[in-house]
Structures are given as C-alpha cells and as structure tokens.
Amino acid sequence: MEQVVPWERMLRALRPLYPTEGSSALVRIPMQRMLRMYFVQQWYRLNDETLHDALLDMQPLRRFVGIDLATDEVPEPSTTREFKRLLEAGRLSTVLVVEIKARLLREGLQMRQGCFVDAAIMPIPNTEDLVEAVRNAKPLPHPTSSAAEPAHPSA
C-alpha cells in the first residue's frame, strides 16, 4: 500500500481540515498516522475499539501506521471517531476511499477485505486425565512385527 496509496496527495487534501491547535486530541497526533489508521480501519472493517486493540496487539499494524510503543501511545477510540467526523465534515471520507479504489483499478489491482487470525495456546482441560491416558496407552506394533503382518490362510 506504500506504493499504491497517494499519501502526499491525500495529506494535502486533509491538511486544511486537520487541527493544529486547541483542545482536540488530534493536535498531538501526526495527521499521516490518523490517515493510515483510518485506512486500516476501512480495509479490515474494524470498529474504533477493535482498531485500538489491534494496534496494541499487532506490530505490523503499528509499523504501518507509525506507532512505536516505546515513544507513542495508541490513539483512543474516541480520537478515531473524532478523525472520522473530521473527514465526514470535510466530505473526504468517501473521496479518499474512492480515490484508492480508482488507483488500484488503474494499476490492475483490487482490494479485498482482510482479516486477522489470532491464535493462542490454551491449557487442555483435565490435563491429568490426558496424561494418565497416554501412560496407559499400548504402543503401536512395529510394521515388521508379526502383529502387523496380514493373516494368510495356510495352503
């Protein structure tokens, strides 16, 4: 997406709307970070809270949006909502998404909805029962043993 999305052009369109002073939480967050967060949210169809959690949990997303947890905070869901309201007020929310879709089509590419796969190692219930079953299990016969050979009728 680094090569496909016209980031500078989109930032120029957004610059007149983005707050640079006042009490808005957006003042403390780089405009490009919020724009990238907006697109991650669109591409993966995440709500504000899920986006926040994904950014806390997933290093590739943080790298894409430009967040280093050693020095940066992940913007709160309310800040994400504020940014979306800003885009909607400036009538940019649809324009930005359509711009990217058009650019992808010109490049012969298409965007499909993404998904995250989250895996976890979980304890097995009744571990003691499993250990006991393994201890009591009979070993499988070796393929060369007589138990593994098919029975042939004697001639």
Side-chain angles (χ1 to χ4, degrees):
M1 296 314 285
E2 293 296 337
Q3 292 79 28
V4 176
V5 176
W7 294 110
E8 286 306 315
R9 181 174 167 189
M10 293 189 170
L11 290 168
R12 278 194 307 272
L14 181 57
R15 195 163 284 119
L17 302 173
Y18 202 80
T20 56
E21 56 186 31
S23 62
S24 169
L26 293 172
V27 171
R28 299 184 314 274
I29 302 168
M31 181 173 45
Q32 183 167 3
R33 180 174 301 155
M34 291 306 301
L35 185 61
R36 286 172 177 262
M37 285 174 54
Y38 174 76
F39 281 116
V40 166
Q41 191 172 33
Q42 298 303 307
W43 296 331
Y44 291 100
R45 296 188 181 178
L46 304 174
N47 65 37
D48 301 329
E49 288 75 16
T50 306
L51 173 63
H52 182 264
D53 292 344
L55 288 168
L56 287 171
D57 293 342
M58 299 178 171
Q59 173 59 32
L61 285 184
R62 287 194 304 272
R63 190 177 316 118
F64 177 75
V65 301
I67 294 175
D68 178 354
L69 290 180
T71 57
D72 304 315
E73 291 183 20
V74 174
E76 292 296 324
S78 59
T79 306
T80 304
R81 282 189 288 280
E82 182 181 351
F83 183 74
K84 289 190 299 189
R85 283 193 297 269
L86 179 86
L87 292 178
E88 290 165 7
R91 298 185 180 178
L92 285 177
S93 55
T94 305
V95 172
L96 295 175
V97 173
V98 169
E99 169 78 22
I100 289 184
K101 285 182 181 181
R103 178 83 181 254
L104 289 171
L105 286 174
R106 284 193 301 273
E107 300 287 331
L109 303 170
Q110 110 183 54
M111 173 66 74
R112 292 193 179 187
Q113 178 183 355
C115 65
F116 297 119
V117 177
D118 190 16
I121 297 175
M122 305 292 288
I124 299 171
N126 301 322
T127 306
E128 292 173 10
D129 293 342
L130 181 60
V131 169
E132 187 64 30
V134 170
R135 275 194 202 124
N136 295 332
K138 294 180 183 176
L140 294 173
H142 192 275
T144 59
S145 72
S146 60
E149 293 176 18
H152 295 286
S154 35

